[in-house]
């Protein structure tokens, strides 16, 4: 069977959001490409999607390493030669250091900026030309979606380096949205303001452990899908997402 | 046939958005109640939805008149005694005066505040108790949705009175979201940043008349529906909506 | 002795900020006009300034009553016929109701909007023509200054009506700044984010009673004076002010 | 004659703002330390201030190079052994590239982040301990001031890399303000929204060349001085500055 004519790429799988996105885009008949540093982060989802009759490719690459990202896109071109890119999600999470400023190392700032700003920059430079090429044929306006955080819009005490990276990332999404929206590519930021209910975070208590006090990654994926399916006359550039009990 | 167990109420029908919302909520098996000053604003949509097998009620009421709004909700209780409120949309549009400040009349400010702030206040005081009562049974978290505008977030020159009202309205949505979110009611604002493609505005040229340069009201309705269907672990409080070619 | 060639008008004296402003503008050789609902609010400051050799006039007027404001400006024209307006401060404070939304009365919203939005609108319509007339001669760019609050930028739970008014007021300042800045009138908003150290609020404990945990009204006045003295090439439209220990 | 008991350090002299700040702080009896990459950037101002009887030191250092900044502070400790730091200004300007995103090089992003985020990070880690040490004795609350730009709050098309850096810088200032404000150190950001009237930019036409259409650097310096002199009960964290004719 031929692979689907369109694919979605998700950079940063392993977190609950990436896996939920992969499943949802696959259910919607897109091939999915999962990028992650470690194969163990995407292997289970590639297997699951393939077993369900979908098309999934996992590629290990450091999103902040231009050569690794180049190689990843070369491999995609080989493995999905007849598929076009319809949706690109930058879901890389920065190591979120919480620390007094005077204990922060410059390396922590650099790591934060690399995984958020540099990583998105590299990812956008690879995906935007492909998204532009899909404008005439994509079932929905080709979309670049970015996962933000509370720190995208608020520089809290002790989160100096994390906020620096997330603010920088938000600046990039705004600039790209303004430049490429008129060309038919939809660029949007989701400001995730709360803990996500991931398997690996099961024991982390937020909002006093109240039911639904963590964000469902499947629900985040639904919101991303909604953003992707907005027609070009109705683009959302930014939305916030938080659990009903979150203080803000 | 019994009317649907849940209904949506839309205050401010006549604009394209209200009609699109009515159709969409009706297709999703909700009864719909349409509020508007003039019967002519909702009659065609009530007829259309009823003809398609849906349940629709039109009520003429001035959203800024507490007695009229009281009467409207009494009538709803009589006509839909077994339906519960699942979604309330405040879509009242302020007469958007564009004028040098020194030519503005105090009455224009008062009109703007009435249709935006007072109207939403009255509407929210009637609907929030009903929405709270629906929390245990509603198919989706009961939702109060408000239609904002560019002027919700920007006080432009010559739009002093319009922006005053839309800013006030935004304040209310934030305050209500913070108070009633934790109780399970989803309150959200859509900042509509662009001209809407309504039948009555067909001749108004925006964005140089480019295709899809006006926002599709059906697409706005889809975004409102998405907000309504977000589970409580994943509430969006505010999103912007604009055509791909809009400058911002 | 002739009265000073320029005067400042302060609407809303009685709070610490109004009194501090009156003293500071008087020290800077401006005549000062103090508007307040009750004479007892301004009488002590008129006496104090006059005793120190300054020129001060107190007028009782409800800032939200157009006729009363008209009368006040007629009186100013009679009493200071040769003085020109250099600075107008709208410092009216809204009755800040803190209450669950469903216990709020529509009257509380109306009162909030009146004292914030309507009051500023009326005040601006009277003062902006006078400020425009002073552009060629005023020692500093004629200035309209507005006292905002946390609620100008954040709709907190339980502050629905207060926030509605303060948001509306902020919209007006932005719109006026954009319209009249290019004509040489400086319009600015100070977002006061914290309790003010007023004589009548001495017993109110904020920030755990820490020293300097309330804002000095004299210091606020200095910031307003700074705004007033900014040359037209360097206008600030909005600044926040809070005590060093305030959480935000 | 003994050097003044307090000094101000300005990183990024050469632009008009740095020179104006140096002159103003010197006039206010502070010793001033000027940091710049090239000696030619600060030499004229060191000479001018010294000739006027002030104390000025110029040090060439790349603000984004930790070792160079370390060396600079060692030299300050040697040359001003009895002076304490009262004000630190981070005025480094990023090379503001304006370019379609797909023509941007990763190096341009890295340069922008280095001069804005990394530079401020390094500067803050050196100066905050010194500012904290001055809290008990400084004539005004020790202050860290940062020069922002339009791009601090808006990601415009074609300014992707510049905005990324300026957003990141803004995040840092917010985080530092929240952490160190309660310890008595004032951290503030000035969002400079317009062209500055510098000698080297004399021929650049902005705002149609209208008089005062560029921001006076002396006026910026006055606003920074005002921020520095705010008492701790009245800290401004952020203000915007623009010429009266600027569109925004």
């Amino acid at each position: 069977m031929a692979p689907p004519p369109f694919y979605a790429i998700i950079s940063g799988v392993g977190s609950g959001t990436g896996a939920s996105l992969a499943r949802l885009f696959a259910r919607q008949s897109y091939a999915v490409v999962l990028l992650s540093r470690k194969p163990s982060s995407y292997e289970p989802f590639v297997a699951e999607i393939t077993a369900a009759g979908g098309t999934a490719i996992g590629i290990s690459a450091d999103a902040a390493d231009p050569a690794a990202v180049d190689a990843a896109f070369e491999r995609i071109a080989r493995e999905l030669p007849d598929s076009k890119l319809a949706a690109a999600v930058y879901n890389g999470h920065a190591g979120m250091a919480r620390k007094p400023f005077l204990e922060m190392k410059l390396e922590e700032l650099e790591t934060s900026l690399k995984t958020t700003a540099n990583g998105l920059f590299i990812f956008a430079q690879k995906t935007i030309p492909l998204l532009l090429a899909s404008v005439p044929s994509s079932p929905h306006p080709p979309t670049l979606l970015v996962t933000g955080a509370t720190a995208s819009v608020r520089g809290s005490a002790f989160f100096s380096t994390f906020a620096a990276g997330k603010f920088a990332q938000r600046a990039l999404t705004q600039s790209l949205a303004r430049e490429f929206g008129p060309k038919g590519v939809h660029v949007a930021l989701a400001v995730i303001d709360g803990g996500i209910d991931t398997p690996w975070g099961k024991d982390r208590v937020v909002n006093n452990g109240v039911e639904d006090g963590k964000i469902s990654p499947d629900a985040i994926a639904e919101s991303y899908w909604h953003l992707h399916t907005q027609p070009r006359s109705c683009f959302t550039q930014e939305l916030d997402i938080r659990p009903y009990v979150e203080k803000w």
Side-chain angles (χ1 to χ4, degrees), chain A:
Chain A
M1 201 181 72
F6 290 95
Y7 72 99
I9 181 165
I10 301 149
S11 177
V13 175
S15 84
T17 304
S20 293
L21 284 165
R23 285 187 192 109
L24 178 49
F25 279 101
R27 272 201 314 277
Q28 296 285 353
S29 302
Y30 282 23
V32 292
V33 178
L34 311 186
L35 289 187
S36 217
R37 231 161 300 188
K38 292 179 301 183
S40 60
S41 298
Y42 55 73
E43 277 165 353
F45 310 111
V46 170
E48 179 191 325
I49 290 165
T50 307
T55 301
I57 300 171
I59 304 178
S60 48
D62 177 350
D65 173 357
V69 175
D70 278 351
F73 278 87
E74 280 161 24
R75 189 171 144 204
I76 295 168
R78 280 196 310 273
E79 300 205 12
L80 296 170
D82 301 317
S83 278
K84 304 191 74 162
L85 181 63
V89 182
Y90 192 73
N91 188 46
H93 58 152
M96 183 175 74
R98 188 189 186 285
K99 210 184 278 191
F101 175 69
L102 295 176
E103 296 175 19
M104 286 281 184
K105 303 283 172 235
L106 183 58
E107 288 71 37
E108 292 174 285
L109 175 68
E110 289 172 338
T111 298
S112 173
L113 293 173
K114 273 215 164 153
T115 53
T116 53
N118 292 25
L120 173 58
F121 182 94
I122 294 164
F123 186 72
Q125 289 215 324
K126 297 304 287 189
T127 55
I128 284 178
L130 301 175
L131 294 167
L132 287 167
S134 301
V135 167
S137 60
S138 175
H140 306 289
T143 309
L144 172 60
L145 297 168
V146 179
T147 301
T150 316
S152 300
V153 292
R154 182 185 154 86
S156 298
F158 307 124
F159 287 101
S160 55
T161 56
F162 183 55
K166 294 308 260 184
F167 268 57
Q169 197 177 60
R170 184 176 182 235
L172 288 177
T173 68
Q174 284 186 11
S175 182
L176 297 177
R178 289 188 167 101
E179 182 173 351
F180 296 103
K183 298 182 175 168
V185 172
H186 184 183
V187 181
L189 175 72
V191 177
I192 309 293
D193 182 24
I196 300 178
D197 190 14
T198 54
W200 49 264
K202 272 281 169 271
D203 299 331
R204 194 163 51 101
V205 175
V206 299
N207 287 319
N208 301 315
V210 71
E211 199 188 338
D212 292 329
K214 292 180 189 173
I215 308 171
S216 153
D218 283 350
I220 295 177
E222 290 290 347
S223 287
Y224 281 39
W225 179 255
H226 174 67
L227 290 169
H228 175 52
T229 60
Q230 288 182 315
R232 67 179 178 171
S233 87
C234 182
F235 278 173
T236 290
Q237 206 279 309
E238 190 168 303
L239 50 69
D240 54 304
I241 281 177
R242 67 177 61 79
Y244 70 120
V245 287
E246 193 76 24
K247 294 260 181 264
W248 53 289

